[in-house]
Amino acid sequence: MHRPRIGLALGSGAARGWSHIGVLRALDAAGVKPDIVCGTSIGALVGGMHLAGKLDVLEEWARDLNRMRIVSYLDFQLRRGGMIGGHRLTDVMERHLGDQLIEKLPAPFTCVATDLVSGHEVWINSGNLVAALRASISLPGIFAPAKFEERWLVDGALVNPVPVSICRALGAHIVIAVNCHSDIIGRNRAPGTNIAKAVGFDLMEELPKLDRSWHTRLVGGIADRVFGRDPDTPSLFGVMVQSLNIMLDRIARSRLAGEPPDVAITPRLGHIGLLEFDRADEVIAEGAAAASRALPELSDALAVFRPERT
């Protein structure tokens, strides 16, 4: 009997997306080798690094992050379409991936972005891997849009947060989906308050504390005067990110209802703020645990979907 072709759809979720590393580790330990990998946003980053043979590098980098290091990678700005330029993160990716082409990866790979003009879903499955990943992670308002082949692109999560449909279009018999948006209700609030905790920490408040360069302190001072708030009310940045969080959750639910995967891996990460990239240890561990919980279901799916001998 031939093994069915397995597609792996790695979803968006910002810092919660480190769970994809744990999922890949657990699947590999169980002998499950995806034949097709598709990713959106952080899912594209992890999936692309994995196929390029750089998952160890990414995991080490993620586990070493703290808030100071996070801020050091953020080129803060208040122009060009986003708070963060993204050039420092692009430099890190280029250092490890070089001129890697998507079509030269060992398995078919597609990452999702959104056309800022038309709103169309854009599937990137050829060309420079770093440029494609940079486009897919361009969360509106946070990262500046990326120009890719004469189109301005933003985060693919706006249109397809968990790209099950692409795995099917590429010929997967079984689709495993990792949804990092499945656990946001009831756990993502500051203790003792009704203020959303989706961010984890407020970038507008943290940047001036951790980056003492004159321009960051100047921008932080202006932002504090303009956007200063009562600590018992949501901040401007918090409202923006939590609104994106709600939107992405609702889009993911809608897309998955119409295009359900054969196996769903749902890490329990509602307590992790979208920007808490410094909590990689526990997020990766939960990703591995979530994949382990799904292994019996995956085993059943493999038995049912095994194609006939040709």
Side-chain angles (χ1 to χ4, degrees):
M1 300 289 286
H2 294 292
R3 181 176 72 78
R5 188 178 299 111
I6 298 173
L8 181 62
L10 301 176
S12 61
R16 298 167 188 166
W18 290 146
S19 60
H20 296 315
I21 297 174
V23 168
L24 286 166
R25 298 295 191 199
L27 292 179
D28 185 66
V32 178
K33 309 290 186 184
D35 303 287
I36 297 163
V37 178
C38 299
T40 299
S41 196
I42 186 72
L45 175 63
V46 176
M49 293 289 283
H50 167 62
L51 289 178
K54 301 294 184 179
L55 190 63
D56 289 344
V57 172
L58 180 64
E59 181 173 357
E60 181 181 2
W61 183 78
R63 289 184 185 276
D64 284 342
L65 285 176
N66 54 39
R67 290 196 180 179
M68 181 68 78
R69 288 196 178 99
I70 292 171
V71 170
S72 73
Y73 289 113
L74 304 181
D75 39 352
F76 188 58
Q77 60 176 28
L78 286 178
R79 54 184 302 187
R80 298 179 183 173
M83 291 176 59
I84 308 300
H87 302 297
R88 295 177 189 171
L89 287 174
T90 301
D91 289 344
V92 174
M93 289 190 285
E94 288 178 341
R95 190 182 314 146
H96 297 292
L97 295 173
D99 296 324
Q100 173 72 56
L101 296 176
I102 294 175
E103 53 267 39
K104 298 295 184 180
L105 293 172
F109 173 71
T110 298
C111 66
V112 188
T114 303
D115 188 306
L116 187 60
V117 175
S118 68
H120 290 171
E121 182 175 329
V122 179
W123 297 3
I124 306 176
N125 51 26
S126 63
N128 182 273
L129 178 60
V130 171
L133 298 181
R134 172 63 182 85
S136 189
I137 66 172
S138 301
L139 193 64
I142 309 297
F143 283 100
K147 196 167 189 180
F148 186 87
E149 296 182 352
E150 301 307 313
R151 305 171 82 174
W152 286 107
L153 302 180
V154 292
D155 201 305
L158 295 180
V159 289
N160 197 349
V162 188
V164 172
S165 58
I166 306 178
C167 289
R168 295 214 188 279
L170 295 180
H173 298 119
I174 293 176
V175 178
I176 304 169
V178 186
N179 180 14
C180 300
H181 295 287
S182 64
D183 185 38
I184 72 166
I185 302 298
R187 301 174 66 184
N188 61 336
R189 63 173 60 185
T193 77
N194 61 356
I195 298 176
K197 184 185 172 292
V199 186
F201 65 91
D202 195 313
L203 196 60
M204 297 290 284
E205 295 177 358
E206 292 292 329
L207 269 172
K209 297 177 186 175
L210 299 176
D211 183 349
R212 303 307 299 171
S213 59
W214 70 268
H215 58 282
T216 299
R217 285 188 286 114
L218 176 61
V219 170
I222 295 172
D224 185 61
R225 287 177 179 274
V226 176
F227 304 123
R229 65 178 179 90
D230 185 320
D232 294 327
T233 63
S235 70
L236 174 68
F237 186 73
V239 169
M240 180 178 69
V241 175
Q242 174 65 346
S243 297
L244 282 169
N245 191 39
I246 292 169
M247 180 184 67
L248 298 183
D249 170 56
R250 298 301 169 176
I251 295 171
R253 291 180 190 223
S254 178
R255 292 296 300 253
L256 291 173
E259 302 159 344
D262 301 296
V263 178
I265 297 176
T266 55
R268 298 164 183 165
L269 297 169
H271 61 294
I272 301 294
L274 289 182
L275 297 185
E276 290 185 309
F277 290 97
D278 52 326
R279 299 177 68 176
D281 288 350
E282 60 183 297
V283 175
I284 292 171
E286 173 53 25
S292 296
R293 292 193 294 267
L295 286 178
E297 183 182 0
L298 176 57
S299 179
D300 291 343
L302 287 169
V304 170
F305 287 92
R306 192 181 301 276
E308 297 295 330
R309 185 189 300 272
T310 58

